[in-house]
Amino acid sequence: MAGVANQNILLGVTGGIAAYKSVELARLLLKAGARVRVVMTEAATRFVSPLTFQAVTGSPVRCSLFDEEHEAAMGHIELARWADQMVIAPASADFMARMALGLANDLLTTLCLASASSIAIAPAMNQRMWQHPAVQHNLSLLEERGVRVLGPESGEQACGDTGPGRMLEPADMLAALDSASGAGLFAGKKVLITAGPTHEAIDPVRFIGNRSSGKMGYALARAFRRGGADVLLVSGPVSLPAPPGVNRVNVQTALQMHKAVFENIHSVDIFVGCAAVADYRPENPQQQKIKKLSDRMDISLVRNPDILAEVATLEEGPYTLGFAAETQNLVENARAKLLAKQVDMLAANSVADGMGFESDENTLLVIWPEGEKHLPVQDKQQLAESLLGVLADQYRRDE
Ligand code: PMT
């Protein structure tokens, strides 16, 4: 793992109440062995004084492009060259928009253009602002350009709202920067992920299926893409857009998902089965809507193929990460599933208490033949990044 030790980190701070958390981030980065320089936007200085960052980092803080004294000591181009990594925390909606446009109308936006280093942003804003199509569009543009996005988290906000838009906690941000150091962890790898539910038709208007929003599988697709992988997402019916740079094949049923997976599996390095595939389908789906003529209706069901188990037992198949959704005896059932399906790794989640399905947050018990790791409750995107950290360690050992 690359880690932040001995790295030159340029910490950009933009205007938002979360700016106070970045003081702690600067402290943690220094403690982890990084060298830290801080650049603040004019709006950021309204929330935290540059002196606070100067006291923590022991280095002068820069706020203006036109500062003769600072330019004489270290010019802005030199500063851009100095940085091994840039981290913008918090990244406001305004800053993301200026960055997406490629503006250079203050020191920090200029540095983003002038630096060849990797850039990570930790967005922080009101939940409605975060969900606004303009912000999401800017986010996609930035991601397409390789900007790494840390968070945001979902929860209570300073403005009193609840929802996505809260900046990651400094310790989580450090872990994210430290573990993957982002780009390149899966560079050159081809990853196939199944996500969402499958719908098995009873008649043209009714189906049986499992609960799944697709959030976890899509978060994994985004995380693998950020790690440099070539990602194919085979998705059941969900209402999520494909993450930037991810190829998606849409399917409805387990049989269609099975076909899409096996048409593509042979060139794949890592297979992730996150879909909530229906284990059974109606034996005789009706062509016309079934009329309500009697008080009872019996539907005969037949087994669907087990996509994950079939992939895991392929000769010279890919590394396989399966999921297990359990309502009881999580550890025992997950260990049994790991063996039964012969997968390399299994991420088990309890779906008994409102967690797992559809929610924005989740917790996972990740197991493999020789070990296990518990990933605590966190936003699904963050959870996906943590899971990839665990997977990368084991995958490299098996390679
Ligand atoms: O989509 P979200 O709302 O974000 O919710 C995420 C999730 C709860 C759906 C996800 O975290 C999860 O647990 N996915 C697996 C759900 C599931 O079907 O679990 P299972 O224990 O029934 O299946 C075990 C594994 O076999 C899974 O990897 C599943 O994809 C795979 N499987 C199951 C049946 C089948 N016919 N083919 C399969 O490939």
Side-chain angles (χ1 to χ4, degrees), residues 212-214 216 273-275 305 307-308 323 325 337 341 349 358 380:
S212 167
S213 63
M216 190 65 221
C274 188
I307 303 167
L308 177 67
F323 271 71
K337 229 169 234 181
K341 301 210 181 197
N349 44 184
E358 289 144 9
K380 280 184 178 167

Side-chain angles (χ1 to χ4, degrees), residues 22 31 275 292 371:
S22 299
K31 203 169 153 217
K292 295 191 289 281

Side-chain angles (χ1 to χ4, degrees), residues 195-197 212-220 222 233 235-243 248 250 358 360 380-381:
S212 167
S213 63
K215 285 178 191 164
M216 190 65 221
Y218 277 56
L220 283 163
R222 189 183 287 262
L233 185 59
S235 174
V238 298
S239 54
L240 299 172
R248 178 171 63 177
N250 293 322
E358 289 144 9
D360 287 327
K380 280 184 178 167
Q381 191 58 55

Side-chain angles (χ1 to χ4, degrees), residues 4 23-34 56 170-172 174:
V4 296
V23 179
E24 174 66 359
L25 176 62
R27 199 186 65 77
L28 292 178
L29 284 167
L30 286 163
K31 203 169 153 217
V56 169
D172 294 334
L174 177 71

Side-chain angles (χ1 to χ4, degrees), residues 144 189-195 217-218 220-226 228-236 238 240-251 260-261 264 267-268 270 272:
E144 271 164 31
K189 300 294 171 199
K190 193 157 179 202
V191 179
L192 198 162
I193 302 170
T194 64
Y218 277 56
L220 283 163
R222 189 183 287 262
F224 270 113
R225 183 68 202 119
R226 285 176 184 168
D230 175 0
V231 183
L232 178 65
L233 185 59
V234 177
S235 174
V238 298
L240 299 172
V246 166
N247 297 311
R248 178 171 63 177
V249 175
N250 293 322
V251 298
V261 166
N264 291 283
S267 53
V268 163
I270 300 171
V272 181

Side-chain angles (χ1 to χ4, degrees), residues 135-373:
V135 172
Q136 290 301 310
H137 177 67
N138 289 334
L139 178 75
S140 297
L141 278 179
L142 293 173
E143 284 192 304
E144 271 164 31
R145 285 183 210 147
V147 172
R148 188 163 174 231
V149 183
L150 310 177
E153 278 182 335
S154 203
E156 223 174 276
Q157 303 198 300
C159 55
D161 279 11
T162 302
R166 221 170 59 166
M167 189 168 91
L168 280 193
E169 290 306 317
D172 294 334
M173 235 185 296
L174 177 71
L177 292 169
D178 212 21
S179 64
S181 262
L185 201 59
F186 293 100
K189 300 294 171 199
K190 193 157 179 202
V191 179
L192 198 162
I193 302 170
T194 64
T198 64
H199 288 178
E200 313 295 327
I202 296 170
D203 67 17
V205 296
R206 303 179 181 96
F207 63 84
I208 59 167
N210 291 357
R211 288 172 59 188
S212 167
S213 63
K215 285 178 191 164
M216 190 65 221
Y218 277 56
L220 283 163
R222 189 183 287 262
F224 270 113
R225 183 68 202 119
R226 285 176 184 168
D230 175 0
V231 183
L232 178 65
L233 185 59
V234 177
S235 174
V238 298
S239 54
L240 299 172
V246 166
N247 297 311
R248 178 171 63 177
V249 175
N250 293 322
V251 298
Q252 291 283 327
T253 67
L255 289 180
Q256 289 168 357
M257 186 171 272
H258 181 271
K259 182 166 179 277
V261 166
F262 280 88
E263 275 171 3
N264 291 283
I265 200 69
H266 299 291
S267 53
V268 163
D269 298 294
I270 300 171
F271 174 79
V272 181
C274 188
V277 187
D279 288 313
Y280 293 89
R281 66 180 185 277
E283 189 172 21
N284 297 305
Q286 299 300 299
Q287 296 307 313
Q288 305 302 329
K289 185 178 174 188
I290 302 169
K291 295 290 173 205
K292 295 191 289 281
L293 297 176
S294 61
D295 291 340
R296 264 186 69 101
M297 182 166 75
D298 295 312
I299 300 171
S300 165
L301 301 175
V302 288
R303 273 291 284 272
N304 272 325
D306 191 319
I307 303 167
L308 177 67
E310 281 188 32
V311 171
T313 48
L314 278 175
E315 242 175 73
E316 300 193 15
Y319 188 93
T320 48
L321 165 65
F323 271 71
E326 303 294 339
T327 54
Q328 56 186 347
N329 304 330
L330 184 71
V331 181
E332 297 81 348
N333 286 341
R335 282 263 162 223
K337 229 169 234 181
L338 181 81
L339 287 179
K341 301 210 181 197
Q342 298 182 43
V343 291
D344 296 298
M345 183 177 272
L346 197 91
N349 44 184
S350 167
V351 289
D353 48 6
M355 294 284 284
F357 295 124
E358 289 144 9
S359 60
D360 287 327
E361 294 186 327
N362 200 8
T363 165
L364 291 172
L365 174 71
V366 189
I367 59 173
W368 57 96
E370 312 81 26
E372 64 182 51
K373 188 168 170 96

